[in-house]
Amino acid sequence: MIQRKFVLNAALVVALCGAAAFAQEAEDGRPAVTTDFSDHQIAVIDVDTVELLAELESSAILLACRTGLGVQHVVLPGELAAELRGRGVVVNTIEPDAQAWMNRDRAERDAKRAQRGVGFFDIYRRYGEISTFLDGVVADHPGIAVREVVGTSFGDDPLGLPGLEIFSIRLTGPGLDSDPMRPVVVINGCQHAREWISPASVTYVINELADMYGNDPRVTEIINEVELHFIPVMNPNGYEYTHTNNRFWRKNRRSNAVGGVGVDPNRNWPVGWNNGISTSTSGNNDLYVGTAPLSEPETNSVAVYMENLAGSVVCLDGCGNGCCGIGESTSRLKGHLDVHSFSQVILGPWSFTDQVAPPRVEELTLVQDNMSAAMFDATGFSYPAALGDSPLLPPAGGVMPDWSFGELGALSWTLEMRPQSNAGGGFELPESQIIPASEELLAAVIELADHARKRLEISTPAPLAETVQAEAPLALRAEVLELNGNKVVTNSVVARTRAGGAGPFDVVPMSPESGGFAATIMTPPCDTLLEIYYEAQAFDGTVVRFPADAPTSVFTTTTAELTVVADDDFESDNGWTRDPEGNDTAIRGLWERAAPGATSAQSSADFSADGTLCWVTDGNPGASLGSGDVDGGVTTLVSPAFDLSGADAAVVRYTRWYSNTTGNSPNADVFVIEVSNDDGINWVELETVGPGGPDTSGGWRSVSFRVEDFVSLTGAVRFRFSASDLGGGSIVEAAIDEFGIETIGVCETVSGCTADLDSNSAVNLDDFSIFIAQFGNGPTECAGGCTADLDGNDRVDLDDFSIFIAQFGNGPTECGL
Ligand code: 0X9
Ligand code: ZN
């Protein structure tokens, strides 16, 4: 190997986002003041050995967020490019002079800046411009916006420049900003200097939210109830350096005692600090951890600021959001987003290890899925969300959200903004995308802040079916997730139900039952509207409903005469077949009836309360995420033929699982469900899950369809479930459970009016009151006669209730008048 002045660090094997021991030193070991990249080129290299990867990590700048073997964009010295070529490595130069590229890039921006009519978010702005712009936002919104000094960035040692101010902008509604009970969220940008979309988008979000206050009802409520703190530029001196000298600079601008310039702020936090996982102790390295946790002014000042915000709210009487009892304490800091680029992913804890699951997985999952869905809704761009053990990004020690989650109790994420890859512009997302990308961040911030004010989240494991059996027991189940440290008052969980669409709702207490709350109600007579909502109370007295705006919105169903045609929890073999026609092309991950084993794409268990089996695309978790997923084509599962002939209507329901977001090509495949009414010759699509959207990151989802909306009902109706992996690099897992079909018959009127207890030729609520007053009477009470004892057995019991219900709603016609 030829002598080079580049510092080699063979120990560093794992690296992220351009992690590199970059040539910053002159011959004397002192940091070079200016960086000239004219002897560097930007190239694409297919890195096929770990030795080559290590060499590039130490002597070039890798521009990817997911470094590793494979195609990499790199900035490398020309002589290294030549040497590699000499050894047979294919180096595809896309820009021969990296300095010329940077100069051009800067000149284009300067030219745009000088043009008239250029909007603030049409170009990437300098630190000073961002600071002045946000002063304007504060001045325009004096009632809700405040600027505060957080600290001072490390002055640019080599350039002899002073440290710049790290500042925050706080948004919160008027009058309440001293309320220590008010929850706090923090959003920071630009720990990493070259990730320009980060400070740009955080600045955009501050401005938008301030303008939405008073105009957008949801945002107004959120700002009135939550304190939002933004620190748009955490590393201002590093950021400026990327504008003036080196577009690829990542760290702060400290001259390190160990040599080299810059500490990686996002390796300088206390949780997992210097743990050897994507960390370096070499001052030249892009992942240099610094001399101690929080050794840097950027991290330390922000840590102090956030610790003060988190505080400790001790409940004296009553309690605010997060207090679960008098004398208990809680952190005010409920949420934190650390905004980076690039990769387009939402990364939850832990980062420092992929070996330990974080606490509060359910709440983390709920919020990150909501953020992902809101971002998708904003622009149609997919931001898959994952917790620590996901291969979306390899682990790293000493990162900021691990600290805010682990030590301050916030729900915290690294948000990697656009683009998805270097092909989309890498750290320099095209300026035309600043606004749409910022709209995605805005959507995520609104979700996070909205969550911060919540106490409880009620959900039901399955949606209420659109029709239910008339006059039959109906099991209701609700789950209550305790959010932000709050607790549910156990006996406060109720369902409220109403039959017939008018009058007050009945209260149905729900009792605790394995992981949730349950109650059973009797459904009203055939063809009656039944409305249901759920309610629970938090320790601080807040009442939470599901749906949230109940009773304005409620869940509804209609009673009918149902005939069960199929009810299959897949615990036994009921004639389902994989690939009946032999056309499947998948080579792995084929459908089987099995108990699934957990991976980050596959469920750890079937869906049914009883039993363990479901149909799943290879239930074995395998040695790695990619060993049991669908690969190489399509795998199909076909139901037996069901006889639906003679029915006017039929409902099919199933609970499905689908995940296509955990691999290197997320959101590339679909899960197709079809129906056939000619025994499997022709198929009609029932639904397609994916390629994007909320149902593509795993989780059991129950759905139902009216079969006659798709095909006419015949004697040979089949269903087909097709999961495929048609693109490369995708991890695809699918499963189904709890399959059922019911036909819907015509409501039969039960004639007779023995239940017309007040003899007015109608069986109505008045009769019901009389019935209920006698309910439970036995031989003693009925000695003198019980009008409600409809079957004449000297008791007013459930049998009489059935008779009563059967006649309920009858009028003069049915009463034979
Ligand atoms: O490495 C980092 O600091 C972050 N990526 S970046 O490309 N912006 O540098 C990721 C940190 C969080 N990582 C995980 N949660 N695995
Ligand atoms: Zn970053």
mmCIF file of all heavy atoms in Angstrom, residues 16-17 65 192 195 250 264 266-267 278 287 340-342 347-348 350-351 393-396 399 414 416 427, ligand 1:
data_model
loop_
_atom_site.group_PDB
_atom_site.id
_atom_site.type_symbol
_atom_site.label_atom_id
_atom_site.label_comp_id
_atom_site.label_asym_id
_atom_site.label_seq_id
_atom_site.Cartn_x
_atom_site.Cartn_y
_atom_site.Cartn_z
ATOM 1 N N LEU A 16 -21.855 4.882 10.293
ATOM 2 C CA LEU A 16 -23.124 5.379 9.784
ATOM 3 C C LEU A 16 -22.918 6.682 9.064
ATOM 4 O O LEU A 16 -22.115 7.500 9.464
ATOM 5 C CB LEU A 16 -24.068 5.669 10.952
ATOM 6 C CG LEU A 16 -24.566 4.486 11.738
ATOM 7 C CD1 LEU A 16 -25.347 5.001 12.902
ATOM 8 C CD2 LEU A 16 -25.405 3.606 10.863
ATOM 9 N N CYS A 17 -23.733 6.904 8.052
ATOM 10 C CA CYS A 17 -23.868 8.222 7.473
ATOM 11 C C CYS A 17 -22.559 8.937 7.274
ATOM 12 O O CYS A 17 -22.307 9.992 7.857
ATOM 13 C CB CYS A 17 -24.786 9.069 8.335
ATOM 14 S SG CYS A 17 -26.459 8.686 7.953
ATOM 15 N N CYS A 65 -26.395 6.684 4.703
ATOM 16 C CA CYS A 65 -26.844 6.522 6.076
ATOM 17 C C CYS A 65 -26.784 5.065 6.474
ATOM 18 O O CYS A 65 -26.889 4.730 7.635
ATOM 19 C CB CYS A 65 -28.259 7.034 6.234
ATOM 20 S SG CYS A 65 -28.256 8.756 6.685
ATOM 21 N N HIS A 192 -26.188 17.225 13.479
ATOM 22 C CA HIS A 192 -25.215 16.953 12.425
ATOM 23 C C HIS A 192 -25.219 18.069 11.390
ATOM 24 O O HIS A 192 -26.255 18.376 10.788
ATOM 25 C CB HIS A 192 -25.518 15.603 11.773
ATOM 26 C CG HIS A 192 -25.208 14.473 12.696
ATOM 27 N ND1 HIS A 192 -25.918 13.307 12.724
ATOM 28 C CD2 HIS A 192 -24.237 14.355 13.653
ATOM 29 C CE1 HIS A 192 -25.399 12.501 13.648
ATOM 30 N NE2 HIS A 192 -24.382 13.128 14.224
ATOM 31 N N GLU A 195 -26.620 17.869 7.562
ATOM 32 C CA GLU A 195 -27.982 17.386 7.298
ATOM 33 C C GLU A 195 -28.904 18.584 7.191
ATOM 34 O O GLU A 195 -29.715 18.867 8.059
ATOM 35 C CB GLU A 195 -28.376 16.401 8.405
ATOM 36 C CG GLU A 195 -27.468 15.179 8.401
ATOM 37 C CD GLU A 195 -27.533 14.320 9.659
ATOM 38 O OE1 GLU A 195 -28.429 14.535 10.492
ATOM 39 O OE2 GLU A 195 -26.672 13.426 9.792
ATOM 40 N N ARG A 250 -19.752 16.843 9.578
ATOM 41 C CA ARG A 250 -20.821 16.274 10.404
ATOM 42 C C ARG A 250 -20.803 16.783 11.848
ATOM 43 O O ARG A 250 -21.851 16.989 12.455
ATOM 44 C CB ARG A 250 -20.646 14.755 10.391
ATOM 45 C CG ARG A 250 -21.462 13.967 11.430
ATOM 46 C CD ARG A 250 -21.180 12.477 11.273
ATOM 47 N NE ARG A 250 -21.667 11.660 12.384
ATOM 48 C CZ ARG A 250 -22.767 10.913 12.325
ATOM 49 N NH1 ARG A 250 -23.506 10.892 11.246
ATOM 50 N NH2 ARG A 250 -23.122 10.185 13.375
ATOM 51 N N ASP A 264 -18.626 14.183 17.532
ATOM 52 C CA ASP A 264 -19.972 13.919 17.022
ATOM 53 C C ASP A 264 -20.964 14.185 18.152
ATOM 54 O O ASP A 264 -20.990 13.443 19.129
ATOM 55 C CB ASP A 264 -20.081 12.463 16.552
ATOM 56 C CG ASP A 264 -21.461 12.163 15.944
ATOM 57 O OD1 ASP A 264 -22.343 13.043 16.009
ATOM 58 O OD2 ASP A 264 -21.629 11.048 15.417
ATOM 59 N N ASN A 266 -23.936 13.574 18.375
ATOM 60 C CA ASN A 266 -24.844 12.438 18.574
ATOM 61 C C ASN A 266 -24.124 11.148 18.952
ATOM 62 O O ASN A 266 -24.646 10.047 18.768
ATOM 63 C CB ASN A 266 -25.716 12.217 17.340
ATOM 64 C CG ASN A 266 -27.052 11.586 17.702
ATOM 65 O OD1 ASN A 266 -27.562 11.799 18.799
ATOM 66 N ND2 ASN A 266 -27.602 10.783 16.787
ATOM 67 N N ARG A 267 -22.918 11.278 19.489
ATOM 68 C CA ARG A 267 -22.249 10.159 20.163
ATOM 69 C C ARG A 267 -21.788 10.601 21.542
ATOM 70 O O ARG A 267 -21.043 9.909 22.201
ATOM 71 C CB ARG A 267 -21.017 9.672 19.360
ATOM 72 C CG ARG A 267 -21.349 9.053 18.019
ATOM 73 C CD ARG A 267 -22.154 7.775 18.148
ATOM 74 N NE ARG A 267 -22.455 7.202 16.841
ATOM 75 C CZ ARG A 267 -23.492 7.566 16.085
ATOM 76 N NH1 ARG A 267 -24.343 8.479 16.513
ATOM 77 N NH2 ARG A 267 -23.677 7.003 14.899
ATOM 78 N N SER A 278 -20.775 1.654 16.843
ATOM 79 C CA SER A 278 -20.797 2.829 15.981
ATOM 80 C C SER A 278 -20.249 4.055 16.705
ATOM 81 O O SER A 278 -20.788 5.153 16.577
ATOM 82 C CB SER A 278 -22.225 3.094 15.472
ATOM 83 O OG SER A 278 -22.244 4.218 14.651
ATOM 84 N N LEU A 287 -17.320 9.707 14.068
ATOM 85 C CA LEU A 287 -18.125 9.209 15.186
ATOM 86 C C LEU A 287 -17.394 9.400 16.513
ATOM 87 O O LEU A 287 -17.667 8.702 17.491
ATOM 88 C CB LEU A 287 -18.443 7.722 14.972
ATOM 89 C CG LEU A 287 -19.127 7.400 13.642
ATOM 90 C CD1 LEU A 287 -19.277 5.897 13.462
ATOM 91 C CD2 LEU A 287 -20.494 8.072 13.565
ATOM 92 N N HIS A 340 -32.858 14.438 11.927
ATOM 93 C CA HIS A 340 -31.643 14.193 11.129
ATOM 94 C C HIS A 340 -32.024 13.971 9.673
ATOM 95 O O HIS A 340 -33.183 13.999 9.305
ATOM 96 C CB HIS A 340 -30.933 12.919 11.631
ATOM 97 C CG HIS A 340 -30.293 13.050 12.966
ATOM 98 N ND1 HIS A 340 -28.938 13.087 13.144
ATOM 99 C CD2 HIS A 340 -30.831 13.150 14.207
ATOM 100 C CE1 HIS A 340 -28.652 13.190 14.428
ATOM 101 N NE2 HIS A 340 -29.786 13.234 15.103
ATOM 102 N N SER A 341 -31.019 13.685 8.862
ATOM 103 C CA SER A 341 -31.265 13.131 7.531
ATOM 104 C C SER A 341 -30.070 12.232 7.221
ATOM 105 O O SER A 341 -29.014 12.411 7.831
ATOM 106 C CB SER A 341 -31.394 14.237 6.478
ATOM 107 O OG SER A 341 -30.139 14.827 6.208
ATOM 108 N N PHE A 342 -30.152 11.285 6.332
ATOM 109 C CA PHE A 342 -31.315 11.016 5.535
ATOM 110 C C PHE A 342 -31.589 9.523 5.611
ATOM 111 O O PHE A 342 -30.755 8.789 6.146
ATOM 112 C CB PHE A 342 -31.059 11.438 4.066
ATOM 113 C CG PHE A 342 -29.820 10.808 3.453
ATOM 114 C CD1 PHE A 342 -29.900 9.655 2.707
ATOM 115 C CD2 PHE A 342 -28.563 11.378 3.663
ATOM 116 C CE1 PHE A 342 -28.749 9.074 2.146
ATOM 117 C CE2 PHE A 342 -27.418 10.804 3.108
ATOM 118 C CZ PHE A 342 -27.505 9.649 2.353
ATOM 119 N N LEU A 347 -36.969 6.247 13.978
ATOM 120 C CA LEU A 347 -36.251 5.243 14.764
ATOM 121 C C LEU A 347 -36.458 5.473 16.252
ATOM 122 O O LEU A 347 -36.004 6.474 16.800
ATOM 123 C CB LEU A 347 -34.756 5.321 14.460
ATOM 124 C CG LEU A 347 -34.397 5.079 12.997
ATOM 125 C CD1 LEU A 347 -32.966 5.478 12.752
ATOM 126 C CD2 LEU A 347 -34.609 3.612 12.659
ATOM 127 N N GLY A 348 -37.130 4.527 16.881
ATOM 128 C CA GLY A 348 -37.372 4.635 18.321
ATOM 129 C C GLY A 348 -36.271 3.947 19.110
ATOM 130 O O GLY A 348 -35.340 3.371 18.541
ATOM 131 N N TRP A 350 -34.370 1.153 21.675
ATOM 132 C CA TRP A 350 -33.112 1.805 22.000
ATOM 133 C C TRP A 350 -32.237 1.900 20.756
ATOM 134 O O TRP A 350 -32.378 1.091 19.841
ATOM 135 C CB TRP A 350 -32.333 0.981 23.045
ATOM 136 C CG TRP A 350 -33.012 0.875 24.358
ATOM 137 C CD1 TRP A 350 -33.644 -0.213 24.877
ATOM 138 C CD2 TRP A 350 -33.096 1.892 25.394
ATOM 139 N NE1 TRP A 350 -34.127 0.054 26.139
ATOM 140 C CE2 TRP A 350 -33.805 1.340 26.478
ATOM 141 C CE3 TRP A 350 -32.658 3.202 25.486
ATOM 142 C CZ2 TRP A 350 -34.075 2.068 27.653
ATOM 143 C CZ3 TRP A 350 -32.931 3.905 26.645
ATOM 144 C CH2 TRP A 350 -33.623 3.333 27.714
ATOM 145 N N SER A 351 -31.336 2.852 20.793
ATOM 146 C CA SER A 351 -30.339 2.913 19.739
ATOM 147 C C SER A 351 -29.053 2.217 20.178
ATOM 148 O O SER A 351 -28.374 1.597 19.363
ATOM 149 C CB SER A 351 -30.054 4.377 19.405
ATOM 150 O OG SER A 351 -28.936 4.470 18.568
ATOM 151 N N LEU A 393 -31.800 0.878 10.705
ATOM 152 C CA LEU A 393 -30.492 1.510 10.899
ATOM 153 C C LEU A 393 -29.774 0.704 11.969
ATOM 154 O O LEU A 393 -30.382 0.312 12.954
ATOM 155 C CB LEU A 393 -30.634 2.947 11.392
ATOM 156 C CG LEU A 393 -30.486 4.094 10.403
ATOM 157 C CD1 LEU A 393 -30.320 5.399 11.147
ATOM 158 C CD2 LEU A 393 -29.344 3.919 9.437
ATOM 159 N N PRO A 394 -28.504 0.489 11.795
ATOM 160 C CA PRO A 394 -27.780 -0.259 12.817
ATOM 161 C C PRO A 394 -27.683 0.539 14.118
ATOM 162 O O PRO A 394 -27.830 1.750 14.112
ATOM 163 C CB PRO A 394 -26.394 -0.456 12.194
ATOM 164 C CG PRO A 394 -26.314 0.482 11.062
ATOM 165 C CD PRO A 394 -27.693 0.846 10.645
ATOM 166 N N PRO A 395 -27.462 -0.140 15.247
ATOM 167 C CA PRO A 395 -27.427 0.557 16.536
ATOM 168 C C PRO A 395 -26.227 1.499 16.659
ATOM 169 O O PRO A 395 -25.252 1.400 15.910
ATOM 170 C CB PRO A 395 -27.340 -0.576 17.560
ATOM 171 C CG PRO A 395 -26.933 -1.774 16.809
ATOM 172 C CD PRO A 395 -27.298 -1.579 15.380
ATOM 173 N N ALA A 396 -26.339 2.413 17.612
ATOM 174 C CA ALA A 396 -25.271 3.382 17.859
ATOM 175 C C ALA A 396 -25.341 3.810 19.318
ATOM 176 O O ALA A 396 -26.433 4.033 19.843
ATOM 177 C CB ALA A 396 -25.433 4.601 16.946
ATOM 178 N N VAL A 399 -26.446 8.229 21.698
ATOM 179 C CA VAL A 399 -27.266 9.151 20.905
ATOM 180 C C VAL A 399 -28.323 9.834 21.776
ATOM 181 O O VAL A 399 -28.714 9.350 22.830
ATOM 182 C CB VAL A 399 -27.913 8.469 19.667
ATOM 183 C CG1 VAL A 399 -26.892 7.669 18.883
ATOM 184 C CG2 VAL A 399 -29.094 7.624 20.063
ATOM 185 N N THR A 414 -35.325 9.294 16.797
ATOM 186 C CA THR A 414 -34.515 9.896 15.756
ATOM 187 C C THR A 414 -35.396 9.914 14.524
ATOM 188 O O THR A 414 -35.919 8.874 14.125
ATOM 189 C CB THR A 414 -33.285 9.024 15.433
ATOM 190 O OG1 THR A 414 -32.521 8.840 16.616
ATOM 191 C CG2 THR A 414 -32.437 9.666 14.346
ATOM 192 N N GLU A 416 -35.182 10.483 10.690
ATOM 193 C CA GLU A 416 -34.318 10.694 9.525
ATOM 194 C C GLU A 416 -35.211 11.162 8.386
ATOM 195 O O GLU A 416 -36.063 10.428 7.896
ATOM 196 C CB GLU A 416 -33.603 9.391 9.130
ATOM 197 C CG GLU A 416 -32.702 8.807 10.210
ATOM 198 C CD GLU A 416 -31.302 9.427 10.251
ATOM 199 O OE1 GLU A 416 -31.062 10.409 9.509
ATOM 200 O OE2 GLU A 416 -30.470 8.927 11.032
ATOM 201 N N PHE A 427 -27.348 14.210 1.595
ATOM 202 C CA PHE A 427 -27.484 15.268 2.595
ATOM 203 C C PHE A 427 -28.018 16.550 1.985
ATOM 204 O O PHE A 427 -28.467 17.432 2.683
ATOM 205 C CB PHE A 427 -26.138 15.535 3.268
ATOM 206 C CG PHE A 427 -25.651 14.347 4.038
ATOM 207 C CD1 PHE A 427 -24.513 13.663 3.668
ATOM 208 C CD2 PHE A 427 -26.384 13.883 5.118
ATOM 209 C CE1 PHE A 427 -24.098 12.547 4.369
ATOM 210 C CE2 PHE A 427 -25.973 12.772 5.833
ATOM 211 C CZ PHE A 427 -24.826 12.096 5.459
HETATM 212 O O1 0X9 B 1 -25.842 7.938 13.404
HETATM 213 C C1 0X9 B 1 -26.585 8.811 13.823
HETATM 214 O O2 0X9 B 1 -26.261 9.630 14.672
HETATM 215 C C2 0X9 B 1 -27.983 8.914 13.248
HETATM 216 N N1 0X9 B 1 -27.939 8.792 11.830
HETATM 217 S S1 0X9 B 1 -27.288 9.966 10.929
HETATM 218 O O3 0X9 B 1 -27.253 9.492 9.607
HETATM 219 N N2 0X9 B 1 -28.204 11.226 10.880
HETATM 220 O O4 0X9 B 1 -26.029 10.308 11.442
HETATM 221 C C3 0X9 B 1 -28.824 7.787 13.775
HETATM 222 C C4 0X9 B 1 -28.902 7.714 15.254
HETATM 223 C C5 0X9 B 1 -29.945 6.762 15.766
HETATM 224 N N3 0X9 B 1 -29.669 5.431 15.384
HETATM 225 C C6 0X9 B 1 -30.482 4.398 15.737
HETATM 226 N N4 0X9 B 1 -31.580 4.618 16.403
HETATM 227 N N5 0X9 B 1 -30.116 3.184 15.395
#
